[in-house]
Amino acid sequence: MAPMGIRLSPLGTAVLCLLGLGVLYHLYSGFLAGRLALLVLGAPAAEAPAGSVDLRELLAASVRAAQEGGAEVRRVREGDRLQQRAKGKTREGADELVTAGDALSNRKMYSLLKAAFPAVQINTEENVDEEDPEAISWDRTIPEDMRVIEPKFVQADSVTVWIDPLDATQEYTDNLRQYVTTMVCAAVNGKPVIGVIHKPFSGFTAWAMEGAGSNIKPRSSYNEQTPTVIVSRSHTGTAKPFVWKAFGNKTQIISAGGAGYKVLSLLDVSEKNQEQADVYIHVTYIKKWDICAGNAVLKTLGGQMTTLTGEEISYTGSNGNEDGLIASINMNHRALIEKLPSLDKISKN
């Protein structure tokens, strides 16, 4: 006679199911909690290998530094306590101004980044008193819009951070606030990989990290045939005849302050006082803390910033770029360069 099967009552079946669920919970609760935390909080802070820094953390700290510096820039301007003076002459012979806004912003930005990343080289426009640092720290919080970025570790001695505590100082003293930015850039082995451009008087902040994304994007279209070109307002030099020689006498030229503002003019920035251009050209000497952040932003988005002859700009070594620059995005950058005349010939006219 065949053995009879064992039958469980409904109550027994329920008990077995509950026991099974309990085992599954015990086995997987930690995993599920970790995944939930990842979705809510972003990738957890990984322990940095010895002698390295996490570029995601450096990006977050750079945004915080630019915003803290911007608060000082705004406070000084709104309080009309500029204390402006000339710290020297530009190569064009104009006074190179510095204000309390430059100094206080620089102190705050440098101190925050140096405290968070002591092994990283930091280059900044203004002098820093290492014996009297600003009492400011970064709590290592990753902003919500950066939490999808995976940690990325690089050797600390390969990183150079460039700080511009107040871009467009001349315009700042003239109370042309729309041009003013604070900027931070991080270069790895001389190549710009992190860029932050903050506008203190509107609160707008653009950031980008190569290979990880950005909170800003290119515009939908650009005019490659007859581009609108943006050039320096205070360091114009021979920019206008240079541009007209390249693109024709009817080319529209925008004169504007601040390298950060000019890079933003190439992108999709929906602020009413932000002008729009197709190409950014600079024909005179320019310092690397003025352009590194913009270079990193454009590079992340697929754009380019090169010298006028098409060479990549290295963010190591000297503080300045002697060979001018041309910046574009979603355009044939090489074709633009090929249209440019010899700067020497323009200078002699």
Side-chain angles (χ1 to χ4, degrees), residues 154-235:
V154 297
Q155 287 300 114
D157 60 8
S158 71
V159 179
T160 305
V161 171
W162 296 84
I163 293 175
D164 192 340
L166 200 170
D167 189 37
T169 299
Q170 178 64 61
E171 287 72 24
Y172 181 65
T173 62
D174 294 336
N175 208 19
L176 299 172
R177 304 182 183 195
Q178 70 271 24
Y179 297 126
V180 175
T181 63
T182 56
M183 296 189 286
V184 181
C185 175
V188 177
N189 295 320
K191 298 183 182 300
V193 299
I194 288 173
V196 178
I197 305 174
H198 174 64
K199 299 178 80 171
F201 296 102
S202 71
F204 175 82
T205 305
W207 60 261
M209 176 175 158
E210 187 179 21
S214 176
N215 70 337
I216 193 170
K217 60 184 180 180
R219 299 199 308 272
S220 59
S221 63
Y222 296 85
N223 188 337
E224 197 160 348
Q225 297 304 314
T226 54
T228 296
V229 181
I230 194 164
V231 302
S232 174
R233 174 179 176 268
S234 55
H235 303 280

Side-chain angles (χ1 to χ4, degrees), residues 27 37 78 99 136 161 186 289 294 302:
L27 290 174
E78 291 176 348
T99 69
I136 184 170
V161 171
W289 40 69

Side-chain angles (χ1 to χ4, degrees), residues 26-264:
H26 177 74
L27 290 174
Y28 294 105
S29 60
F31 171 78
L32 292 172
R35 298 305 296 174
L36 180 60
L38 180 62
L39 289 172
V40 175
L41 301 176
E47 185 176 348
S52 69
V53 295
D54 177 5
L55 290 181
R56 184 181 74 152
E57 287 196 342
L58 183 52
L59 170 63
S62 297
V63 168
R64 170 76 185 281
Q67 292 172 344
E68 291 286 344
E72 292 297 295
V73 167
R74 187 175 64 250
R75 182 176 64 82
V76 169
R77 177 69 265 185
E78 291 176 348
D80 199 22
R81 297 188 294 271
L82 269 62
Q83 301 174 32
Q84 70 187 64
R85 59 180 176 82
K87 63 178 180 180
K89 295 285 187 181
T90 67
R91 293 196 177 186
E92 294 79 38
D95 285 339
E96 188 171 8
L97 299 178
V98 64
T99 69
D102 295 81
L104 293 172
S105 172
N106 186 74
R107 184 170 183 244
K108 186 151 286 190
M109 293 172 72
Y110 179 89
S111 297
L112 186 152
L113 291 168
K114 194 65 178 177
F117 305 97
V120 167
Q121 178 182 336
I122 301 178
N123 293 346
T124 183
E125 186 167 11
E126 305 304 327
N127 293 326
V128 176
D129 185 354
E130 299 277 6
E131 303 300 320
D132 184 28
E134 175 81 13
I136 184 170
S137 62
W138 176 57
D139 61 8
R140 309 197 96 80
T141 297
I142 305 297
E144 185 175 355
D145 58 352
M146 298 177 195
R147 290 176 186 166
V148 296
I149 300 174
E150 293 291 333
K152 182 178 180 180
F153 297 101
V154 297
Q155 287 300 114
D157 60 8
S158 71
V159 179
T160 305
V161 171
W162 296 84
I163 293 175
D164 192 340
L166 200 170
D167 189 37
T169 299
Q170 178 64 61
E171 287 72 24
Y172 181 65
T173 62
D174 294 336
N175 208 19
L176 299 172
R177 304 182 183 195
Q178 70 271 24
Y179 297 126
V180 175
T181 63
T182 56
M183 296 189 286
V184 181
C185 175
V188 177
N189 295 320
K191 298 183 182 300
V193 299
I194 288 173
V196 178
I197 305 174
H198 174 64
K199 299 178 80 171
F201 296 102
S202 71
F204 175 82
T205 305
W207 60 261
M209 176 175 158
E210 187 179 21
S214 176
N215 70 337
I216 193 170
K217 60 184 180 180
R219 299 199 308 272
S220 59
S221 63
Y222 296 85
N223 188 337
E224 197 160 348
Q225 297 304 314
T226 54
T228 296
V229 181
I230 194 164
V231 302
S232 174
R233 174 179 176 268
S234 55
H235 303 280
T236 302
T238 56
K240 288 186 176 181
F242 182 85
V243 168
W244 286 325
K245 183 71 173 176
F247 302 109
N249 292 338
K250 294 183 179 180
T251 303
Q252 182 180 353
I253 297 176
I254 299 172
S255 297
Y261 176 91
K262 289 191 275 291
V263 167
L264 292 178

